Amino acid sequence: KQEVTQIPAALSVPEGENLVLNCSFTDSAIYNLQWFRQDPGKGLTSLLLIQSSQREQTSGRLNASLDKSSGRSTLYIAASQPGDSATYLCAVILFGGATNKLIFGTGTLLAVQP
Amino acid sequence: KAGVTQTPRYLIKTRGQQVTLSCSPISGHRSVSWYQQTPGQGLQFLFEYFSETQRNKGNFPGRFSGRQFSNSRSEMNVSTLELGDSALYLCASSIAGGSRETQYFGPGTRLLVL
């Protein structure tokens, strides 16, 4: 059974700091991995989608990497801002299963202090 | 282009009642998936509809059901509500539900069962 774990569960950093969020998955046979952010009481916003054949994706201050062999992904946020405060979730789609069934991680609650 | 919309945003029901939630996908998207989010279990896949047919189903009891209309709008129904059904229910849409597609989430419906 695929398990997706995110470390740390919570993180507080001062504004301007660069930070890394981690995502680990037990089954490396995945179609893709997606990073989302969720603001309190709201839906999910897609940040980055990495296909299984790719090693990283970048969007603005965000960079996500994927290492299928080790079952790990990292989300790098450069020059963090208070507006980055949210819960960050990673999710994988398992190869051989439903092509769009997302299996979510446990989430990292990020607080960026002004 | 308008995003995914969900109605109602908030609901309060009592045990034993039933409830219907609605999701309108992004125009042109034919795949709609539903997820349940609770503090204890996180985000879990309920089911996915494509072209008015349920294509995939998660591990939830039969009290949870859904349907999709010809305009791709989807509804989910929960019968005989239990306290444990209190959750944020999210729907996501994508063009065809393929593994390479980004899924776009709505703001969710928060259900409270008393």
Side-chain angles (χ1 to χ4, degrees), chain A residues 31-32 34 36 38 40-46 48-49 51-53 89 93 97-105, chain B residues 9-10 31 33 35 37 43 45 48 55-56 58 88 90 94 97-103 105-108 110:
Chain A
Y31 277 123
N32 64 45
Q34 197 165 352
F36 296 89
Q38 184 174 31
K42 300 200 176 168
L44 277 63
T45 301
S46 177
L48 290 164
L49 171 68
Q51 305 291 350
S52 62
S53 58
L89 294 149
I93 293 181
T99 58
N100 67 343
K101 175 185 173 182
L102 291 163
I103 301 172
F104 282 89
Chain B
R9 295 293 311 278
Y10 303 93
S31 169
S33 299
Y35 290 82
Q37 186 177 30
L43 273 152
F45 175 82
E48 182 228 358
R55 189 160 65 173
N56 296 295
L88 181 66
L90 295 163
S94 62
S99 63
R100 294 181 175 275
E101 298 174 15
T102 297
Q103 295 189 45
F105 282 77
R110 185 165 296 280

Side-chain angles (χ1 to χ4, degrees), chain B:
Chain B
K1 190 184 272 190
V4 179
T5 58
Q6 292 187 245
T7 57
R9 295 293 311 278
Y10 303 93
L11 267 177
I12 300 176
K13 293 286 186 179
T14 56
R15 279 184 303 172
Q17 288 187 308
Q18 75 165 19
V19 66
T20 299
L21 313 181
S22 180
C23 172
S24 293
I26 292 172
S27 178
H29 286 194
R30 295 166 61 195
S31 169
V32 174
S33 299
W34 289 88
Y35 290 82
Q36 181 196 65
Q37 186 177 30
T38 60
Q41 299 297 318
L43 273 152
Q44 294 184 290
F45 175 82
L46 279 158
F47 32 64
E48 182 228 358
Y49 284 85
F50 178 77
S51 292
E52 302 179 63
T53 301
Q54 186 182 88
R55 189 160 65 173
N56 296 295
K57 190 177 189 306
N59 190 25
F60 279 81
R63 300 185 298 106
F64 292 81
S65 63
R67 60 178 175 168
Q68 187 179 35
F69 302 93
S70 59
N71 62 357
S72 294
R73 187 177 70 87
S74 177
E75 290 181 346
M76 70 163 280
N77 184 78
V78 188
S79 62
T80 319
L81 284 166
E82 301 177 359
L83 295 178
D85 297 333
S86 295
L88 181 66
Y89 290 88
L90 295 163
C91 79
S93 78
S94 62
I95 294 172
S99 63
R100 294 181 175 275
E101 298 174 15
T102 297
Q103 295 189 45
Y104 297 89
F105 282 77
T109 294
R110 185 165 296 280
L111 172 64
L112 177 61
V113 182
L114 302 175

